[in-house]
Amino acid sequence: STSATNGTYTLTTSLAGDKNVDITGSSTADGTDVILYSATTGNNQKFIFRKSDHGYFTIKSILDSTKVLTVRNNGTANGTAVELRTNADTDSQKWLLFNLGNEGFGFAPKNAPSLRLEVKDGLTTNLIPIVIGSTDQTLQPYTKQRFKLTKVN
């Protein structure tokens, strides 16, 4: 799809077609790490996109739709972890999507709009953290900051 709409998706890194954004251990506890892991059909790799304000989305876990992808501690530093947390409608829980072409999307958190969702260090081994990282916006975003959305319903 060329633009994201409300729906349920998997997020596959452009670094490896068989690795998805994943909720560690299918836990819904606040503070659970968001990681990269081998693609499965599990609900811990399915996310509900809901339009929020001014083009932003909240990205909910299908495991518990009250829990959303969140920048840990409202952080704005390169390398800050992304976690699962109860939706409090904060800027660290709202994501602006950039269509990068070829079904690739970039995600900017509202609390740190110059940063992008990324696979830490561009590594593809299981359990690598999903973080926010800096990008030079004059250049094509790094592959580690590009994710393919696949609608699952």
Side-chain angles (χ1 to χ4, degrees), residues 67-121:
K67 307 289 178 146
V68 299
L69 297 190
T70 304
V71 180
R72 184 166 285 156
N73 298 325
N74 199 37
T76 57
N78 186 28
T80 300
V82 174
E83 65 182 12
L84 197 66
R85 186 157 291 278
T86 300
N87 189 3
D89 202 36
T90 64
D91 285 353
S92 63
Q93 297 176 320
K94 296 172 184 173
W95 301 86
L96 189 63
L97 273 62
F98 295 88
N99 185 348
L100 305 175
N102 296 320
E103 298 180 331
F105 286 87
F107 296 78
K110 190 171 184 183
N111 71 305
S114 66
L115 302 183
R116 297 289 180 272
L117 190 74
E118 74 172 37
V119 177
K120 186 175 181 171
D121 300 326

Side-chain angles (χ1 to χ4, degrees), residues 46-50 58-69 84 87:
K46 294 176 184 172
F47 298 92
I48 304 163
F49 282 64
R50 284 288 176 263
T58 53
I59 305 173
K60 303 177 177 191
S61 172
I62 204 170
L63 296 166
D64 179 345
S65 63
T66 68
K67 307 289 178 146
V68 299
L69 297 190
L84 197 66
N87 189 3

